[in-house]
Amino acid sequence: MKNRYEAMSGELLIGKWTGHKWRVEREIGRGENGIVYLVTGTIGQAALKFADSAAVASETNTLKSLERVRGASPGPFFIEADDVEKNGVIYPFYIMEYIDGLMLHTFMRNKKEEWSFILLLRLLDFLEPLHNSGKIMGDLKPENLIVSGPTHMIRAVDMGGITKQGRSVKEYTTLYDRASWHSGTREAEPAYDLFAASVLTITLVHKKEVQEADGQIERLIAIIESSPVLQLAAPILQQAISGHYNCAKTMKKELLICLSGKKTMKLRTRRKKSKSKKWPVVLVFFTFILMVFLLH
Amino acid sequence: MKMGTIRQLLLLTDGCSNTGEDPGAMAAFALRQGITVNVIGIVDDSKSAEGLEEIESIARSGGGESRIVKARSLSETVVNVTRQAMTGTIYNIINQELRDILNEDTRVESLPPEKRGKIAEKVEDISEEAELKLLVLTDMSASMKLKLPAVKEALYDLSVSMQSRSGHSSFSLWTFPGKYSAAEERIGWTDNAKKLAESFPQLASGGITPTGPAIRQALTSFLDMERYDEKSI
């Protein structure tokens, strides 16, 4: 990327337009189109992203439009956009809320695999308001999502892929992109994200196998079918992959029914088993007491 | 704002040119005719790439984007580079207009951030709706042999992305070195990008890498098309 501004820890950045001062604490992210720093200003901690002018302007627009979603934003709150000017060169940046939490894949590292379902539910909670605002996430991948707070809410930390519905997806990653799996177009619609959400869930448990499936959808389905963990939600994951869902809320509802249905069935069978196992024990115990009583 | 046609030449190569005109100069020539030149350098997993400076310098003089990637991430790179270069082209036009209307030093960056937001919205609309003419120029020298399946896949991928756009797109495929000349046309201008992937040749031709002359020759394709358009009107 041309004209990238590399800030140092402790450096003081002064906004050209607002005059606001930001002290750089450390780098917290770096991608193809920009660098994100944790900074402190008069308002406290915030995240600052340097990118080219076009990216800053378009991501600023995205963040602002997300805030119109019922007060709580699926992404970070936008604070302000500004420039740093050094030696006659302009480096545009914007300031957003700093979301403290772990990136999705880091979060899963020391968790049981069953957590992948909780994250899928949370992911659907995240997607629903975003889709209702007429946009889709586009580049849905663990690196772009953060798990934060005690309720494990999922929020986006990279806005680059967020696309208006009906247009072609702005940015994507092959592994989660339905077109790369030959399973649909790259048109921005809720089903595009729900496909990615499904692949992401499978990836949280079987990353290597999904990578090895190499875009062959049959192999992806075979992974779901043969996975003991994913069994619980297999029908939902498969239907999302086949493009059955075009609404995050419906998918969430069916996922909940599916998960609870399986669980109660399991419990029921276990209870039956335990009952049938207990009966002879109770019988033996009873006859023993009876025998003792009679012998007396 | 009504937008004309965005014209791009996408060069896919894995190394340095070794004969003929300087590819950078040819890219600058293309830019003067309103054609943006993007370059993607495809490198092997094992070795660090040589000739990378050339890749960057071709793109710089061609007003486009450059990336160096491994074969397996070629698909998403081709699409992203094409999109970003479209945005870049539109911004260049806006900067030019601003300079004409206001003064020499005015660029989008000299406007306050809030105004830029409005421009960005417009640019996104234009890049979705504008007509795109994209010529893919692929290096088929011997060292590219193992990378050709990835190129084919990337072309297929590009067709999927461009079909999801609302604006009209047309494509042409050229390869170099050609049998009798620096470069040869494999598929003439077509609306159907899938054709590019379907009939992509899988045989490397080997020998020299005349990147500069290949760009010069491929450019004639844009000119021919204009002449044809005029006639047809």
Side-chain angles (χ1 to χ4, degrees):
Chain A
M1 191 87 255
K2 50 219 157 174
N3 294 341
R4 220 172 209 201
Y5 191 85
E6 300 268 353
M8 314 274 278
S9 287
E11 192 177 336
L12 191 68
L13 302 168
I14 302 170
K16 180 184 158 187
W17 300 91
T18 60
H20 293 165
K21 293 178 182 137
W22 304 99
R23 175 82 61 191
V24 177
E25 286 188 24
R26 60 188 159 89
E27 184 182 316
I28 50 177
R30 179 179 288 254
E32 188 65 65
N33 66 341
I35 309 177
V36 184
Y37 295 97
L38 176 64
V39 296
T40 325
T42 48
I43 57 156
Q45 279 192 327
L48 182 153
K49 180 169 181 179
F50 277 113
D52 68 39
S53 162
V56 166
S58 118
E59 287 175 26
T60 298
N61 285 344
T62 306
L63 284 180
K64 280 186 189 162
S65 72
L66 290 187
E67 280 167 20
R68 286 178 210 132
V69 183
R70 290 189 293 160
S73 176
F77 285 105
F78 171 74
I79 299 168
E80 64 190 27
D82 212 326
D83 296 330
V84 164
E85 198 169 350
K86 280 261 160 88
N87 307 323
V89 185
I90 291 169
Y91 301 96
F93 67 82
Y94 64 91
I95 304 276
M96 60 191 147
E97 172 198 6
Y98 170 61
I99 303 175
D100 198 10
L102 290 172
M103 237 119 67
L104 212 57
H105 57 299
T106 327
F107 178 85
M108 274 299 284
R109 220 167 265 166
N110 46 13
K111 294 276 189 304
K112 281 218 171 107
E113 287 165 325
E114 281 76 10
W115 268 90
S116 53
F117 295 127
I118 296 167
L119 291 182
L120 176 58
L121 286 170
R122 282 299 183 223
L123 199 54
L124 295 170
D125 286 337
F126 156 80
L127 289 173
E128 195 200 327
L130 183 64
H131 291 167
N132 289 342
S133 76
K135 300 207 160 59
I136 72 152
M137 178 66 184
D139 202 0
L140 191 77
K141 60 175 172 183
E143 296 86 341
N144 287 347
L145 300 166
I146 232 164
V147 185
S148 81
T151 52
H152 308 296
M153 293 285 286
I154 288 183
R155 291 171 79 188
V157 283
D158 192 310
M159 312 300 122
I162 294 183
T163 311
K164 267 190 203 160
Q165 287 176 26
R167 297 202 160 167
S168 61
V169 175
K170 268 196 215 162
E171 255 174 50
Y172 64 89
T173 304
T174 315
L175 195 61
Y176 310 100
D177 163 51
R178 71 174 180 193
S180 302
W181 292 93
H182 303 275
S183 301
T185 64
R186 215 163 271 146
E187 187 187 324
E189 54 181 358
Y192 182 90
D193 275 351
L194 298 176
F195 178 96
S198 181
V199 179
L200 195 151
T201 311
I202 305 165
T203 315
L204 289 176
V205 186
H206 304 283
K207 173 128 199 200
K208 216 173 130 228
E209 290 92 325
V210 176
Q211 279 168 337
E212 282 165 1
D214 196 30
Q216 295 166 48
I217 197 77
E218 313 79 42
R219 289 180 65 184
L220 187 66
I221 290 167
I223 295 170
I224 305 175
E225 282 169 350
S226 62
S227 162
V229 183
L230 298 179
Q231 272 306 304
L232 279 174
I236 309 297
L237 293 174
Q238 284 198 26
Q239 286 183 64
I241 281 170
S242 64
H244 172 78
Y245 299 115
N246 205 30
C247 168
K249 203 176 180 178
T250 316
M251 181 168 163
K252 187 188 169 185
K253 210 173 92 192
E254 291 191 14
L255 176 63
L256 281 171
I257 292 171
C258 182
L259 288 175
S260 61
K262 283 273 165 62
K263 253 181 213 157
T264 49
M265 254 166 63
K266 252 196 176 168
L267 281 177
R268 218 175 287 143
T269 51
R270 205 177 293 152
R271 211 177 296 141
K272 255 184 218 160
K273 258 183 209 163
S274 56
K275 257 185 201 164
S276 56
K277 261 182 198 166
K278 258 179 204 161
W279 265 116
V281 180
V282 171
L283 226 83
V284 168
F285 188 69
F286 195 70
T287 44
F288 179 75
I289 289 179
L290 207 78
M291 269 165 73
V292 171
F293 185 73
L294 287 174
L295 281 174
H296 266 278
Chain B
M1 190 168 163
K2 182 93 178 80
M3 189 69 199
T5 306
I6 296 178
R7 297 185 296 174
Q8 287 187 9
L9 187 151
L10 174 64
L11 171 65
L12 304 174
T13 181
D14 70 341
C16 224
S17 66
N18 53 19
T19 180
E21 296 104 322
D22 171 26
M26 288 302 111
F29 177 62
L31 184 62
R32 266 211 306 282
Q33 297 178 43
I35 299 154
T36 311
V37 181
N38 301 309
V39 193
I40 299 177
I42 312 164
V43 292
D44 292 321
D45 280 341
S46 51
K47 66 161 198 174
S48 65
E50 291 159 34
L52 299 188
E53 307 78 35
E54 190 184 71
I55 284 165
E56 224 189 291
S57 90
I58 300 172
R60 209 181 307 123
S61 23
E65 302 277 332
S66 67
R67 295 276 192 292
I68 312 250
V69 296
K70 287 172 183 153
R72 83 179 101 85
S73 25
L74 187 63
S75 288
E76 51 202 69
T77 310
V78 165
V79 174
N80 290 344
V81 159
T82 305
R83 294 194 68 105
Q84 279 184 19
M86 284 173 77
T87 310
T89 306
I90 300 163
Y91 267 100
N92 285 341
I93 294 167
I94 293 172
N95 282 335
Q96 185 62 50
E97 296 280 326
L98 282 175
R99 245 169 276 153
D100 290 350
I101 300 166
L102 302 167
N103 65 57
E104 276 183 22
D105 289 337
T106 314
R107 297 175 55 80
V108 172
E109 285 82 11
S110 32
L111 300 171
E114 307 83 67
K115 293 236 166 75
R116 286 179 221 166
K118 284 187 188 131
I119 294 178
E121 233 165 75
K122 201 77 211 165
V123 167
E124 258 169 48
D125 291 347
I126 295 170
S127 85
E128 179 74 17
E129 290 151 15
E131 187 177 350
L132 170 72
K133 285 195 154 55
L134 174 64
L135 187 149
V136 182
L137 177 61
T138 309
D139 181 352
M140 300 286 274
S141 59
S143 56
M144 280 288 287
K145 196 180 168 202
L146 291 173
K147 295 157 193 159
L148 293 181
V151 173
K152 184 177 173 154
E153 183 63 34
L155 290 177
Y156 170 79
D157 222 50
L158 183 71
S159 72
V160 174
S161 258
M162 292 300 135
Q163 269 162 10
S164 306
R165 237 169 52 91
S166 63
H168 179 262
S169 320
S170 49
F171 307 86
S172 172
L173 177 69
W174 284 62
T175 58
F176 69 99
K179 234 177 209 160
Y180 307 107
S181 56
E184 60 192 359
E185 183 186 76
R186 295 290 186 145
I187 293 150
W189 291 103
T190 169
D191 298 348
N192 183 0
K194 271 205 179 110
K195 259 194 201 164
L196 264 61
E198 278 160 9
S199 43
F200 185 73
Q202 288 296 303
L203 285 173
S205 28
I208 51 169
T209 312
T211 313
I215 295 176
R216 175 169 47 75
Q217 221 168 356
L219 286 178
T220 59
S221 176
F222 283 103
L223 305 175
D224 285 351
M225 186 174 61
E226 268 156 31
R227 229 173 283 143
Y228 175 78
D229 280 355
E230 271 164 32
K231 260 186 229 158
S232 64
I233 292 161

